[in-house]
Amino acid sequence: MRVFGIDCGTELTGWGVVDFVDGPRESRLEPIAAGAIRLDKKHRTPQRLHQVHLELTALLEAYTPEVVAIEDVFFAANAKSALKLGHVRGVAMLSAAACGLPVMEYAPLSIKSAVVGHGLAAKEQVQFMVARLLDLERAPEPADAADALAIAICHIHNARTAQGLLR
């Protein structure tokens, strides 16, 4: 199973690709790629959203995942920030749908629980555990890329749990 994780942001949108390899002797997570789409602060919102769409679509076509996983909406104190983030999330979902891919959404607490073991983990703990789970020498940079990998790992854990329940 190949999962494309997206950590939506208004300045950086992280992305990460993880394969789940279910071998005869062992199962493992395999990191494929990760990075971030850096948005120019000088550009207006429509141009930024267009850039996110173009780059995500190209990445989805290049890495051919089976599913896209993104972080669910969280409640923010600043409504304007939440609205801007919602625009980016919408473009991410549109990009996935345009590529014919299903989109799964996960709450921040679920992502942290799946990766660290508890939902109130600090950002640094998530980055550390992503590196450990993917057998990386250090946490991926920028932090948004590590978060996107965490979202992909969360989906893999949830999908495996669901498969186990169906047996």
Side-chain angles (χ1 to χ4, degrees):
M1 171 188 339
R2 177 168 286 183
V3 180
F4 193 101
I6 303 173
D7 178 46
C8 297
T10 55
E11 293 181 19
L12 284 175
T13 290
W15 60 272
V17 185
V18 178
D19 279 353
F20 174 68
V21 181
D22 197 8
R25 294 186 187 160
E26 69 173 336
S27 300
R28 71 182 189 286
L29 297 169
E30 187 173 306
I32 302 303
I37 300 169
R38 296 180 188 280
L39 301 173
D40 191 337
K41 294 178 186 178
K42 297 178 204 165
H43 291 150
R44 299 191 50 172
T45 301
Q47 288 79 22
R48 287 176 163 200
L49 295 176
H50 186 243
Q51 178 187 351
V52 170
H53 174 66
L54 290 177
E55 291 192 38
L56 279 179
T57 300
L59 289 164
L60 291 168
E61 290 172 353
Y63 289 105
T64 62
E66 295 171 43
V67 62
V68 173
I70 65 172
E71 191 171 47
D72 203 355
V73 175
F74 62 92
F75 296 99
N78 185 333
K80 190 173 182 178
S81 294
L83 185 60
K84 287 180 181 180
L85 182 61
H87 293 326
V88 178
R89 286 185 76 251
V91 167
M93 288 188 264
L94 170 65
S95 299
C99 292
L101 296 168
V103 176
M104 301 300 294
E105 300 173 74
Y106 295 96
L109 292 176
S110 297
I111 296 164
K112 290 176 180 182
S113 291
V115 175
V116 178
H118 61 92
L120 299 177
K123 199 168 192 65
E124 296 79 19
Q125 290 174 300
V126 173
Q127 294 167 346
F128 175 80
M129 283 307 297
V130 164
R132 294 287 306 264
L133 290 169
L134 297 177
D135 198 25
L136 302 171
E137 290 182 19
R138 57 188 168 91
E141 297 279 337
D144 304 84
D147 290 346
L149 291 167
I151 295 165
I153 292 167
C154 175
H155 175 74
I156 291 167
H157 286 305
N158 278 286
R160 289 186 64 214
T161 300
Q163 285 176 339
L165 293 174
L166 292 175
R167 290 182 184 160

